[in-house]
Amino acid sequence: MRRTVIQGTGFYVPERIVTNDELAGMIDTSDEWIRERTGIVERRWVEEGVTGAEMALRATSMALDEAGMEAGEIDAIILATLSPDHFFPGTGVFLQRELGAGEIPALDIRAQCSGFVYGLSVADAWIRSGQYETILLVGVEIQSTGLDLTDEGRDMAVLFGDGAGAAVLKAADDLQRGVLSTHIHSQGEHAEVLWVDAPSSPRHPLISAEDLAEGRHHPRMVGREVFKHAVSRMPEVVLEALEANGLGTEDIDLLIPHQANLRISQMVQRRLDLPDEKVFNNIERYGNTTAATIPIALAEAVRAGRLHRGDLLCLTAFGSGFTWGSALIRW
Ligand code: UT7
């Protein structure tokens, strides 16, 4: 019996800060509306030419430094993204190439905002089964280039940002520490509530001039539907995890919820009856970076001294698919 411990964390966000006021100069929105409805003050957008693999590499370097490890010690890469650098191959192999990590497997995970928790679930199973000792888990997203920066896309345009977060996971025989459990779910009947319609392989051709003119290549969302499901599924899956481990909400020392909207995180916090000091949010600075929100927040929480040995850390996510999940980790 062995467990998965988080040996190192890291993150990278682009230097370019995009404020709410800057967005208000492009689309019909305002700083006041964005702050009030989402809690977001600013987000980061990549400069042209920067790839997801490059951002993932920077986050990984920080995580390896913290772990005191070299790239050559990694046995496998799991990379979560909904905005891959290319249709194929996955961004994971580009990261493998940039890392110089040897001929290790690189698996891309497509579970949108829940990608990091899904990836953790796979990594934990690999490690506990004895297949791998050390796994690099990354969430990376370039959302800015896909956004519809017209008034029609304003609901999405104000929410999303770019960034990367990484965690180096390692096998440990210390059963007092590490991942206690992961719980993941999906409900495909809501697939089109938050999605990108095209390019789409069954189309002939996979993207047409009409698709582009109609903006089908931009993400679309029925925001209220997503909101409604997010605020019930995240508490539900956290309670599922606690119950499976014979624990209660009072045992949680730190909750890192997916950073989708500050109002969503606050509602999840209320439903779990957690005080402010037990919840970590950074959406005001980065917006929603999808698969990267949790690993970026985790890396920041570590650096802010918010986690101590023995603490019970809870991660939870909800996103397009719908997909959702939770993880409980004894720090
Ligand atoms: O990671 C998971 C993925 N995404 C999410 O979790 C997002 C979930 N949804 C949300 O966060 C919220 O639904 C939004 C922030 C997207 C929208 O907030 P809301 O309070 O649900 O607003 P709404 O969609 O009900 O729209 C209210 C009004 C509408 O105008 P009318 O019809 O009342 O005149 C919208 O057209 O706000 C308008 N609106 C905007 N106004 C200014 C929508 N987007 C904007 C905007 N700026 N950016």
Side-chain angles (χ1 to χ4, degrees):
M1 177 76 180
R2 57 188 200 163
R3 286 241 158 93
T4 304
V5 297
I6 298 179
Q7 196 82 6
T9 60
F11 74 105
Y12 174 77
V13 289
E15 275 168 34
R16 181 172 171 216
I17 296 173
V18 178
T19 62
N20 291 344
D21 282 333
E22 193 176 340
L23 280 179
M26 303 177 203
I27 49 177
D28 181 17
T29 189
S30 66
D31 178 48
E32 192 192 356
W33 190 97
I34 301 170
R35 282 180 197 244
E36 217 167 80
R37 303 286 180 129
T38 73
I40 299 167
V41 175
E42 59 190 37
R43 73 286 293 141
R44 306 296 181 103
W45 284 6
V46 288
E47 300 291 348
E48 194 170 349
V50 174
T51 67
E54 282 165 22
M55 290 204 295
L57 180 66
R58 288 179 184 243
T60 298
S61 300
M62 193 193 270
L64 283 169
D65 275 354
E66 192 181 271
M69 291 172 63
E70 305 283 335
E73 294 174 70
I74 298 168
D75 299 320
I77 296 169
I78 300 178
L79 185 144
T81 190
L82 65 64
S83 53
D85 287 342
H86 299 277
F87 233 51
F88 73 87
T91 303
V93 297
F94 291 97
L95 176 60
Q96 181 269 343
R97 183 171 76 187
E98 309 234 347
L99 256 181
E103 293 168 359
I104 58 172
L107 172 71
D108 274 37
I109 297 253
R110 300 195 52 185
Q112 300 65 249
C113 301
S114 310
F116 190 81
V117 174
Y118 265 62
L120 184 61
S121 186
V122 174
D124 183 44
W126 274 350
I127 285 178
R128 278 188 296 107
S129 75
Q131 185 158 353
Y132 300 115
E133 291 290 312
T134 305
I135 296 177
L136 171 64
L137 175 60
V138 181
V140 57
E141 224 67 76
I142 298 180
Q143 286 279 7
S144 57
T145 54
L147 297 172
D148 179 0
L149 295 175
T150 69
D151 291 348
E152 205 190 326
R154 65 179 179 170
D155 57 335
M156 306 281 291
V158 301
L159 287 179
F160 292 96
D162 305 338
V168 175
L169 310 174
K170 209 166 167 19
D173 294 323
D174 178 0
L175 296 187
Q176 305 306 309
R177 290 181 66 204
V179 177
L180 303 182
S181 67
T182 57
H183 288 82
I184 51 178
H185 299 275
S186 75
Q187 197 181 17
E189 56 256 50
H190 300 293
E192 292 88 357
V193 174
L194 173 50
W195 77 326
V196 177
D197 191 1
S200 156
S201 303
R203 283 177 191 276
H204 297 255
L206 86 163
I207 189 156
S208 64
E210 190 204 325
D211 291 330
L212 289 169
E214 295 287 324
R216 294 194 186 102
H217 57 300
H218 295 303
R220 300 288 178 205
M221 168 174 79
V222 186
R224 284 189 177 188
E225 273 298 294
V226 179
F227 197 104
K228 197 177 74 189
H229 287 266
V231 297
S232 68
R233 290 307 194 179
M234 284 192 276
E236 184 183 291
V237 76
V238 168
L239 293 175
E240 182 184 2
L242 290 168
E243 196 185 330
N245 289 280
L247 297 165
T249 52
E250 66 284 0
D251 295 310
I252 295 176
D253 294 298
L254 190 68
L255 174 75
I256 300 183
H258 165 54
Q259 303 288 292
N261 179 328
L262 188 62
R263 282 162 55 219
I264 292 178
S265 296
Q266 287 169 339
M267 233 176 250
V268 171
Q269 173 181 348
R270 268 200 301 279
R271 289 188 179 185
L272 294 172
D273 200 20
L274 295 173
D276 288 349
E277 63 272 18
K278 289 192 171 184
V279 183
F280 190 89
N281 289 305
N282 61 8
I283 192 169
E284 64 278 6
R285 286 175 286 123
Y286 304 133
N288 178 348
T289 56
T290 325
T293 69
I294 289 179
I296 292 174
L298 178 60
E300 286 201 335
V302 168
R303 279 150 189 82
R306 295 281 295 272
L307 278 164
H308 309 97
R309 184 59 65 88
D311 278 359
L312 185 67
L313 167 66
C314 181
L315 312 177
T316 186
F318 178 89
S320 158
F322 292 145
T323 57
W324 64 100
S326 65
L328 280 181
I329 300 157
R330 185 65 69 188
W331 199 252

